[in-house]
Amino acid sequence: MQNGFGDALSRRAWLSTTGGLLALAALPRAVFAATTHEVIDPPIASPSDVIEVLEFFHYGCPHCRQFDPLLHAWKAKLPSDVRVRAVPVIWNQRVLQGLATFHFALAAIGALDTLHPRVFAALQDERRPLYDRDGAAEWVREQGADGAALAKAWDSFGVQTRVKQADRETREYQIQGVPTLAIAGRYRTSASLTGSHEAALAEADRLIARIRQNRQQG
């Protein structure tokens, strides 16, 4: 498998599938809108034992790459009643479906925590075809993980079920751009609403506190 995208996807197709799609979707909306979050109406069912935060993202998005270390530091400070779950978007795109599959296959072989931060650079800078099973397995082997296990997990029932769930949740939450955070099935926030990634995380903190207070009073 070539390191570049030449055999699998032309540069034009790649840019139109990922970069071009999000160049518009991720434009700051704070310039045009006064709100720093959106209310999900009707609310979507969410676990009652924790406050679940969904992070909608994909590996081809440069904004998600910038957001990832900030999110990682933020998650490390969260109280025990908050759980963050990553949801890779697909948006009817073959490449994004492959990247979502790669994400869940990494989780299935226990390599996600280690390799997740490296995937952004491998895809965006090196243009490795990580949306393809063989290309992904080759890259995983180079990172010192089990490429054969990754390839086996790729088409497994568990991984494919999670890919379908991620696609369904993206539709349910009406995600138009990434990165976007959804809090307890009731709110959405993002840098495009707040003006910056840091402000989006601060808004998520406020919304988490609101959900916690409402649950305690209810």
Side-chain angles (χ1 to χ4, degrees):
M1 181 64 66
Q2 295 290 323
N3 286 356
F5 284 6
D7 292 340
L9 189 70
S10 71
R11 177 178 174 81
R12 177 178 295 180
W14 168 252
L15 290 175
S16 108
T17 301
T18 56
L21 179 65
L22 289 170
L24 294 177
L27 283 175
R29 292 174 57 190
V31 174
F32 309 102
T35 183
T36 53
H37 68 266
E38 297 171 328
V39 176
I40 299 172
D41 187 22
I44 298 168
S46 184
S48 59
D49 57 330
V50 295
I51 300 172
E52 184 175 61
V53 178
L54 303 185
E55 176 218 356
F56 291 91
F57 83 105
H58 78 68
Y59 287 118
C61 167
H63 303 286
C64 298
R65 182 181 182 179
Q66 296 166 0
F67 185 53
D68 189 65
L70 300 175
L71 180 70
H72 181 75
W74 180 75
K75 288 193 296 185
K77 299 176 182 178
L78 289 174
S80 59
D81 67 337
V82 181
R83 179 178 67 197
V84 180
R85 179 163 59 87
V87 182
V89 300
I90 295 174
W91 287 332
N92 294 317
Q93 299 290 339
R94 180 180 64 86
V95 167
L96 298 187
Q97 181 171 349
L99 293 175
T101 305
F102 181 44
H103 174 82
F104 291 121
L106 285 175
I109 67 170
L112 183 61
D113 289 346
T114 300
L115 298 184
H116 173 78
R118 307 180 200 175
V119 176
F120 292 102
L123 188 75
Q124 296 181 29
D125 299 341
E126 302 170 30
R127 298 201 175 277
R128 299 294 296 268
L130 303 181
Y131 50 83
D132 172 81
R133 179 179 58 189
D134 294 338
E138 178 182 346
W139 181 80
V140 165
R141 282 193 295 270
E142 293 172 7
Q143 308 309 306
D146 193 337
L150 186 284
K152 183 177 180 180
W154 192 276
D155 293 318
S156 68
F157 176 79
V159 166
Q160 291 304 312
T161 297
R162 296 187 71 182
V163 170
K164 291 176 182 177
Q165 177 186 355
D167 190 35
R168 183 176 65 253
E169 288 178 326
T170 301
R171 297 171 189 274
E172 288 176 344
Y173 280 85
Q174 301 180 36
I175 302 303
Q176 303 297 318
V178 289
T180 293
L181 297 177
I183 294 88
R186 293 183 175 274
Y187 305 106
R188 287 184 301 264
T189 191
S190 64
S192 64
L193 286 170
T194 63
S196 72
H197 295 312
E198 292 85 354
L201 291 172
E203 180 67 6
D205 282 331
R206 286 190 287 270
L207 295 171
I208 288 168
R210 180 184 299 180
I211 292 290
R212 183 184 293 114
Q213 182 178 22
N214 289 342
R215 288 183 177 181
Q216 290 172 348
Q217 292 176 347

PDB file of all heavy atoms in Angstrom, residues 49-67:
ATOM      1  N   ASP A  49     -27.351   7.767  34.831  1.00  0.00           N
ATOM      2  CA  ASP A  49     -26.414   7.575  35.930  1.00  0.00           C
ATOM      3  C   ASP A  49     -25.166   8.437  35.792  1.00  0.00           C
ATOM      4  O   ASP A  49     -24.415   8.621  36.750  1.00  0.00           O
ATOM      5  CB  ASP A  49     -26.000   6.098  36.035  1.00  0.00           C
ATOM      6  CG  ASP A  49     -25.402   5.562  34.752  1.00  0.00           C
ATOM      7  OD1 ASP A  49     -25.784   6.055  33.668  1.00  0.00           O
ATOM      8  OD2 ASP A  49     -24.547   4.661  34.811  1.00  0.00           O
ATOM      9  N   VAL A  50     -24.936   8.970  34.583  1.00  0.00           N
ATOM     10  CA  VAL A  50     -23.818   9.877  34.345  1.00  0.00           C
ATOM     11  C   VAL A  50     -24.303  11.002  33.442  1.00  0.00           C
ATOM     12  O   VAL A  50     -25.375  10.910  32.835  1.00  0.00           O
ATOM     13  CB  VAL A  50     -22.619   9.172  33.671  1.00  0.00           C
ATOM     14  CG1 VAL A  50     -22.003   8.117  34.584  1.00  0.00           C
ATOM     15  CG2 VAL A  50     -23.022   8.580  32.328  1.00  0.00           C
ATOM     16  N   ILE A  51     -23.509  12.062  33.351  1.00  0.00           N
ATOM     17  CA  ILE A  51     -23.761  13.117  32.370  1.00  0.00           C
ATOM     18  C   ILE A  51     -22.869  12.804  31.176  1.00  0.00           C
ATOM     19  O   ILE A  51     -21.647  12.932  31.255  1.00  0.00           O
ATOM     20  CB  ILE A  51     -23.443  14.511  32.945  1.00  0.00           C
ATOM     21  CG1 ILE A  51     -24.317  14.781  34.170  1.00  0.00           C
ATOM     22  CG2 ILE A  51     -23.656  15.595  31.890  1.00  0.00           C
ATOM     23  CD1 ILE A  51     -23.955  16.054  34.920  1.00  0.00           C
ATOM     24  N   GLU A  52     -23.487  12.342  30.111  1.00  0.00           N
ATOM     25  CA  GLU A  52     -22.703  11.896  28.961  1.00  0.00           C
ATOM     26  C   GLU A  52     -22.479  13.049  27.982  1.00  0.00           C
ATOM     27  O   GLU A  52     -23.422  13.725  27.568  1.00  0.00           O
ATOM     28  CB  GLU A  52     -23.399  10.744  28.250  1.00  0.00           C
ATOM     29  CG  GLU A  52     -22.572  10.173  27.107  1.00  0.00           C
ATOM     30  CD  GLU A  52     -23.213   8.953  26.476  1.00  0.00           C
ATOM     31  OE1 GLU A  52     -24.337   9.079  25.951  1.00  0.00           O
ATOM     32  OE2 GLU A  52     -22.587   7.875  26.511  1.00  0.00           O
ATOM     33  N   VAL A  53     -21.214  13.239  27.618  1.00  0.00           N
ATOM     34  CA  VAL A  53     -20.830  14.235  26.619  1.00  0.00           C
ATOM     35  C   VAL A  53     -20.354  13.483  25.378  1.00  0.00           C
ATOM     36  O   VAL A  53     -19.444  12.656  25.465  1.00  0.00           O
ATOM     37  CB  VAL A  53     -19.713  15.153  27.144  1.00  0.00           C
ATOM     38  CG1 VAL A  53     -19.287  16.150  26.060  1.00  0.00           C
ATOM     39  CG2 VAL A  53     -20.161  15.883  28.402  1.00  0.00           C
ATOM     40  N   LEU A  54     -20.964  13.754  24.247  1.00  0.00           N
ATOM     41  CA  LEU A  54     -20.548  13.148  22.992  1.00  0.00           C
ATOM     42  C   LEU A  54     -19.675  14.125  22.226  1.00  0.00           C
ATOM     43  O   LEU A  54     -20.036  15.295  22.043  1.00  0.00           O
ATOM     44  CB  LEU A  54     -21.760  12.761  22.143  1.00  0.00           C
ATOM     45  CG  LEU A  54     -22.775  11.811  22.778  1.00  0.00           C
ATOM     46  CD1 LEU A  54     -23.854  11.432  21.764  1.00  0.00           C
ATOM     47  CD2 LEU A  54     -22.092  10.561  23.314  1.00  0.00           C
ATOM     48  N   GLU A  55     -18.512  13.639  21.796  1.00  0.00           N
ATOM     49  CA  GLU A  55     -17.622  14.447  20.961  1.00  0.00           C
ATOM     50  C   GLU A  55     -17.738  13.946  19.528  1.00  0.00           C
ATOM     51  O   GLU A  55     -17.300  12.855  19.191  1.00  0.00           O
ATOM     52  CB  GLU A  55     -16.170  14.308  21.420  1.00  0.00           C
ATOM     53  CG  GLU A  55     -15.190  15.056  20.525  1.00  0.00           C
ATOM     54  CD  GLU A  55     -13.870  14.322  20.303  1.00  0.00           C
ATOM     55  OE1 GLU A  55     -13.671  13.245  20.907  1.00  0.00           O
ATOM     56  OE2 GLU A  55     -13.059  14.830  19.512  1.00  0.00           O
ATOM     57  N   PHE A  56     -18.340  14.755  18.657  1.00  0.00           N
ATOM     58  CA  PHE A  56     -18.448  14.410  17.248  1.00  0.00           C
ATOM     59  C   PHE A  56     -17.215  14.962  16.523  1.00  0.00           C
ATOM     60  O   PHE A  56     -16.888  16.158  16.658  1.00  0.00           O
ATOM     61  CB  PHE A  56     -19.731  14.981  16.662  1.00  0.00           C
ATOM     62  CG  PHE A  56     -20.976  14.321  17.191  1.00  0.00           C
ATOM     63  CD1 PHE A  56     -21.621  14.825  18.314  1.00  0.00           C
ATOM     64  CD2 PHE A  56     -21.484  13.183  16.586  1.00  0.00           C
ATOM     65  CE1 PHE A  56     -22.771  14.209  18.816  1.00  0.00           C
ATOM     66  CE2 PHE A  56     -22.625  12.556  17.079  1.00  0.00           C
ATOM     67  CZ  PHE A  56     -23.273  13.069  18.198  1.00  0.00           C
ATOM     68  N   PHE A  57     -16.545  14.108  15.759  1.00  0.00           N
ATOM     69  CA  PHE A  57     -15.277  14.490  15.142  1.00  0.00           C
ATOM     70  C   PHE A  57     -15.007  13.605  13.935  1.00  0.00           C
ATOM     71  O   PHE A  57     -15.718  12.639  13.674  1.00  0.00           O
ATOM     72  CB  PHE A  57     -14.135  14.311  16.153  1.00  0.00           C
ATOM     73  CG  PHE A  57     -13.622  12.896  16.236  1.00  0.00           C
ATOM     74  CD1 PHE A  57     -12.403  12.545  15.659  1.00  0.00           C
ATOM     75  CD2 PHE A  57     -14.363  11.892  16.862  1.00  0.00           C
ATOM     76  CE1 PHE A  57     -11.941  11.234  15.700  1.00  0.00           C
ATOM     77  CE2 PHE A  57     -13.910  10.586  16.915  1.00  0.00           C
ATOM     78  CZ  PHE A  57     -12.690  10.249  16.339  1.00  0.00           C
ATOM     79  N   HIS A  58     -13.956  13.937  13.195  1.00  0.00           N
ATOM     80  CA  HIS A  58     -13.344  12.946  12.298  1.00  0.00           C
ATOM     81  C   HIS A  58     -11.865  13.290  12.108  1.00  0.00           C
ATOM     82  O   HIS A  58     -11.444  14.427  12.282  1.00  0.00           O
ATOM     83  CB  HIS A  58     -14.109  12.759  10.989  1.00  0.00           C
ATOM     84  CG  HIS A  58     -13.909  13.820   9.944  1.00  0.00           C
ATOM     85  ND1 HIS A  58     -12.720  14.010   9.276  1.00  0.00           N
ATOM     86  CD2 HIS A  58     -14.776  14.706   9.395  1.00  0.00           C
ATOM     87  CE1 HIS A  58     -12.845  14.966   8.377  1.00  0.00           C
ATOM     88  NE2 HIS A  58     -14.081  15.416   8.444  1.00  0.00           N
ATOM     89  N   TYR A  59     -11.093  12.281  11.750  1.00  0.00           N
ATOM     90  CA  TYR A  59      -9.645  12.412  11.712  1.00  0.00           C
ATOM     91  C   TYR A  59      -9.146  13.294  10.582  1.00  0.00           C
ATOM     92  O   TYR A  59      -8.012  13.776  10.629  1.00  0.00           O
ATOM     93  CB  TYR A  59      -8.998  11.028  11.605  1.00  0.00           C
ATOM     94  CG  TYR A  59      -9.065  10.214  12.870  1.00  0.00           C
ATOM     95  CD1 TYR A  59      -9.756   9.006  12.909  1.00  0.00           C
ATOM     96  CD2 TYR A  59      -8.412  10.640  14.026  1.00  0.00           C
ATOM     97  CE1 TYR A  59      -9.803   8.243  14.072  1.00  0.00           C
ATOM     98  CE2 TYR A  59      -8.461   9.892  15.192  1.00  0.00           C
ATOM     99  CZ  TYR A  59      -9.153   8.696  15.204  1.00  0.00           C
ATOM    100  OH  TYR A  59      -9.199   7.949  16.356  1.00  0.00           O
ATOM    101  N   GLY A  60      -9.950  13.534   9.556  1.00  0.00           N
ATOM    102  CA  GLY A  60      -9.519  14.390   8.465  1.00  0.00           C
ATOM    103  C   GLY A  60      -9.754  15.866   8.717  1.00  0.00           C
ATOM    104  O   GLY A  60      -9.378  16.701   7.896  1.00  0.00           O
ATOM    105  N   CYS A  61     -10.340  16.208   9.833  1.00  0.00           N
ATOM    106  CA  CYS A  61     -10.707  17.592  10.153  1.00  0.00           C
ATOM    107  C   CYS A  61      -9.569  18.295  10.890  1.00  0.00           C
ATOM    108  O   CYS A  61      -9.212  17.883  12.001  1.00  0.00           O
ATOM    109  CB  CYS A  61     -11.977  17.592  11.006  1.00  0.00           C
ATOM    110  SG  CYS A  61     -12.343  19.171  11.777  1.00  0.00           S
ATOM    111  N   PRO A  62      -8.991  19.359  10.333  1.00  0.00           N
ATOM    112  CA  PRO A  62      -7.907  20.060  11.034  1.00  0.00           C
ATOM    113  C   PRO A  62      -8.362  20.712  12.337  1.00  0.00           C
ATOM    114  O   PRO A  62      -7.574  20.837  13.282  1.00  0.00           O
ATOM    115  CB  PRO A  62      -7.444  21.105  10.010  1.00  0.00           C
ATOM    116  CG  PRO A  62      -8.581  21.253   9.050  1.00  0.00           C
ATOM    117  CD  PRO A  62      -9.256  19.931   9.006  1.00  0.00           C
ATOM    118  N   HIS A  63      -9.636  21.123  12.397  1.00  0.00           N
ATOM    119  CA  HIS A  63     -10.153  21.719  13.631  1.00  0.00           C
ATOM    120  C   HIS A  63     -10.225  20.672  14.747  1.00  0.00           C
ATOM    121  O   HIS A  63      -9.953  20.974  15.914  1.00  0.00           O
ATOM    122  CB  HIS A  63     -11.526  22.326  13.379  1.00  0.00           C
ATOM    123  CG  HIS A  63     -11.534  23.343  12.287  1.00  0.00           C
ATOM    124  ND1 HIS A  63     -11.011  24.597  12.448  1.00  0.00           N
ATOM    125  CD2 HIS A  63     -11.970  23.265  11.002  1.00  0.00           C
ATOM    126  CE1 HIS A  63     -11.152  25.272  11.311  1.00  0.00           C
ATOM    127  NE2 HIS A  63     -11.720  24.489  10.423  1.00  0.00           N
ATOM    128  N   CYS A  64     -10.588  19.448  14.379  1.00  0.00           N
ATOM    129  CA  CYS A  64     -10.618  18.364  15.368  1.00  0.00           C
ATOM    130  C   CYS A  64      -9.214  18.061  15.880  1.00  0.00           C
ATOM    131  O   CYS A  64      -9.025  17.759  17.059  1.00  0.00           O
ATOM    132  CB  CYS A  64     -11.229  17.103  14.754  1.00  0.00           C
ATOM    133  SG  CYS A  64     -12.943  17.301  14.224  1.00  0.00           S
ATOM    134  N   ARG A  65      -8.253  18.160  14.996  1.00  0.00           N
ATOM    135  CA  ARG A  65      -6.859  17.942  15.403  1.00  0.00           C
ATOM    136  C   ARG A  65      -6.415  19.002  16.414  1.00  0.00           C
ATOM    137  O   ARG A  65      -5.749  18.688  17.406  1.00  0.00           O
ATOM    138  CB  ARG A  65      -5.966  17.987  14.159  1.00  0.00           C
ATOM    139  CG  ARG A  65      -4.491  17.733  14.431  1.00  0.00           C
ATOM    140  CD  ARG A  65      -3.716  17.820  13.138  1.00  0.00           C
ATOM    141  NE  ARG A  65      -2.300  17.528  13.332  1.00  0.00           N
ATOM    142  CZ  ARG A  65      -1.407  17.523  12.348  1.00  0.00           C
ATOM    143  NH1 ARG A  65      -1.804  17.793  11.101  1.00  0.00           N
ATOM    144  NH2 ARG A  65      -0.142  17.251  12.603  1.00  0.00           N
ATOM    145  N   GLN A  66      -6.782  20.245  16.182  1.00  0.00           N
ATOM    146  CA  GLN A  66      -6.445  21.320  17.116  1.00  0.00           C
ATOM    147  C   GLN A  66      -7.171  21.155  18.449  1.00  0.00           C
ATOM    148  O   GLN A  66      -6.622  21.459  19.512  1.00  0.00           O
ATOM    149  CB  GLN A  66      -6.793  22.669  16.492  1.00  0.00           C
ATOM    150  CG  GLN A  66      -5.995  23.011  15.251  1.00  0.00           C
ATOM    151  CD  GLN A  66      -6.600  24.169  14.474  1.00  0.00           C
ATOM    152  OE1 GLN A  66      -7.626  24.739  14.862  1.00  0.00           O
ATOM    153  NE2 GLN A  66      -5.983  24.519  13.359  1.00  0.00           N
ATOM    154  N   PHE A  67      -8.387  20.673  18.366  1.00  0.00           N
ATOM    155  CA  PHE A  67      -9.228  20.532  19.550  1.00  0.00           C
ATOM    156  C   PHE A  67      -8.793  19.361  20.425  1.00  0.00           C
ATOM    157  O   PHE A  67      -8.960  19.405  21.653  1.00  0.00           O
ATOM    158  CB  PHE A  67     -10.681  20.339  19.102  1.00  0.00           C
ATOM    159  CG  PHE A  67     -11.694  20.303  20.199  1.00  0.00           C
ATOM    160  CD1 PHE A  67     -11.780  21.310  21.141  1.00  0.00           C
ATOM    161  CD2 PHE A  67     -12.611  19.252  20.278  1.00  0.00           C
ATOM    162  CE1 PHE A  67     -12.734  21.288  22.144  1.00  0.00           C
ATOM    163  CE2 PHE A  67     -13.570  19.219  21.276  1.00  0.00           C
ATOM    164  CZ  PHE A  67     -13.630  20.237  22.212  1.00  0.00           C
TER     165      PHE A  67
END
